[in-house]
Amino acid sequence: MAPLFSLILGSLSRVRLVGGDHRCEGRVEVQQDDEWVTVCDDYWNMDSVAVLCRELGCGAARKTMSGTVYGPVTPKDQKVFIHLFRCNGIEESLSQCEKEDAIGCSHVEDAGAVCERPESVRLADGPGRCQGRVEVKFRGEWSSVCQAGWSFAAAKVVCRQLGCGRATLTRRGCNKETQGQGAIWQRKASCSGQEVSLQDCLSEVWEHNCTHNEDVWVECEDPFGLKLVGGRSHCEGRLEVLHKGEWGSVCDDGWGQEADRVVCRQLGCGQPLSPPVKVRRRFGPGVGRIWLDDVNCSGKEPSLEQCPHRSWGYHNCNHREDVAVVCEEQQSGLLDA
């Protein structure tokens, strides 16, 4: 049977940094018997931080910190871990460091750590920056990613992090022209799909025998853009959205004031004014593509792209039904507030 210490710290999910600006900074906590406990800072030094940063898949160790600087304040009934760590800095995880009993430590001695944020991500060898082979920059080296440790939820996060549109495809295997040549990322990302960046996903070290035949390929929609045209300012006009490099209009089936609110907010304008139909029609009909139909917003979405709608390009409309929006100018909206 493995030692209790190894069971406690045997995987990435058993150690974490809490209260920092990102997952690679904060108060050190380990999981013991289904509860998270803090670590005493006796003997806690840069060697210990280096090991912790390595275990968490973060970048280089930056500095040791007192855990008391990170909120929220440690609950009084939260325990302090029963062991101290003595690391030499080359271990892969804290479980490999020597340990000593911790006697008399209180939460004013909680350990903290700061590691560099490690990864940046890109899509390589595709037709544009929003399609390609997934590569993660880890400790200064770009590495491809194996499909066995990947998910569509992770693809969603990558597309969001790169400022692209929605993820449309993730698949295993690239052709010989687009396969990676260097290292393969030695981590497995566990994403919910709601994270802002890949760094925010839980990840763990994992051993694999992947080859570049299994490199992950991801395709995102082009960056979403919108504008109001034909008005006296950027805050009024016929609505057009950018998709696949082409501007097109939006059909008014299902459109409501909630959708107006999303558009006005996204453009940095004030509140929607909801003028009568004849005012909206003065902006004229569009030409070319009709990209969206049956758009149904709650009004809380940060972007029109996040409102449910028919698939891009599917509609039963003509340009007499193009959406037009009139918002307050931002300055006016601020004065009224």
Side-chain angles (χ1 to χ4, degrees), residues 166 221 243 290-294 308-315:
R166 294 184 295 185
E221 292 177 344
H243 181 61
I290 298 176
W291 276 129
L292 295 177
D293 189 14
D294 294 328
H309 57 78
R310 282 196 190 190
S311 296
W312 286 94
Y314 287 86
H315 63 86

Side-chain angles (χ1 to χ4, degrees), residues 16-300:
R16 68 184 183 185
L17 293 173
V18 177
D21 291 335
H22 51 83
R23 72 174 185 85
C24 293
E25 174 187 0
R27 182 175 62 251
V28 183
E29 295 188 356
V30 297
Q31 195 173 27
Q32 180 181 30
D33 298 331
D34 296 324
E35 65 177 328
W36 288 98
V37 298
T38 61
V39 172
C40 184
D41 65 4
D42 290 353
Y43 305 120
W44 188 257
N45 56 26
M46 285 299 292
D47 287 337
S48 303
V49 175
V51 175
L52 176 64
C53 295
R54 186 176 301 119
E55 182 172 6
L56 289 174
C58 298
R62 297 293 298 275
K63 56 184 174 180
T64 62
M65 295 288 290
S66 168
T68 60
V69 304
Y70 298 108
V73 176
T74 309
K76 291 182 179 180
D77 59 351
Q78 186 175 3
K79 297 176 183 177
V80 180
F81 191 53
I82 60 175
H83 297 294
L84 308 173
F85 300 111
R86 281 184 176 272
C87 305
N88 60 31
I90 63 173
E91 298 89 351
E92 291 297 319
S93 69
L94 290 177
S95 65
Q96 298 175 4
C97 299
E98 293 182 9
K99 62 185 187 298
E100 294 184 10
D101 292 341
I103 301 174
C105 282
S106 66
H107 286 305
V108 297
E109 300 173 89
D110 285 345
V114 179
C115 316
E116 291 180 350
R117 292 189 71 163
E119 309 100 334
S120 50
V121 64
R122 68 184 182 186
L123 297 177
D125 293 332
R129 71 177 188 85
C130 292
Q131 297 182 34
R133 183 182 66 256
V134 180
E135 290 192 341
V136 170
K137 192 173 186 180
F138 186 67
R139 295 177 185 163
E141 181 181 16
W142 286 104
S143 303
S144 56
V145 176
C146 180
Q147 173 66 33
W150 194 252
S151 67
F152 190 70
K156 290 181 179 180
V157 176
V158 168
C159 292
R160 183 178 301 117
Q161 183 173 353
L162 292 176
C164 301
R166 294 184 295 185
T168 58
L169 173 70
T170 184
R171 61 177 170 83
R172 166 183 171 177
C174 302
N175 59 43
K176 290 188 180 297
E177 289 74 24
T178 57
Q179 285 179 3
Q181 302 295 322
I184 298 176
W185 199 35
Q186 298 289 326
R187 305 195 69 83
K188 179 179 181 180
S190 298
C191 304
S192 70
Q194 302 302 314
E195 295 86 355
V196 175
S197 70
L198 202 60
Q199 294 96 310
D200 298 322
C201 300
L202 293 175
S203 66
E204 58 182 311
V205 177
W206 67 303
E207 296 182 4
H208 61 74
N209 57 358
C210 297
T211 69
H212 285 297
N213 290 329
E214 300 168 271
D215 286 347
V216 172
W217 180 274
V218 165
E219 295 184 4
C220 319
E221 292 177 344
D222 288 331
F224 182 81
L226 58 79
K227 62 183 178 180
L228 298 176
V229 299
R232 293 169 294 183
S233 75
H234 79 284
C235 290
E236 66 173 32
R238 184 180 67 256
L239 176 63
E240 293 191 355
V241 295
L242 180 66
H243 181 61
K244 293 185 176 179
E246 183 178 358
W247 289 97
S249 57
V250 177
C251 181
D252 64 7
D253 291 349
W255 191 268
Q257 189 170 9
E258 295 82 3
D260 280 357
R261 189 175 299 117
V262 173
V263 169
C264 293
R265 184 189 307 120
Q266 191 170 352
L267 290 173
C269 301
Q271 294 296 313
L273 294 177
S274 301
V277 173
K278 65 179 182 180
V279 174
R280 295 178 186 256
R281 285 180 175 169
R282 74 168 186 245
F283 305 118
V287 295
R289 299 297 296 261
I290 298 176
W291 276 129
L292 295 177
D293 189 14
D294 294 328
V295 178
N296 182 18
C297 302
S298 69
K300 298 179 180 179

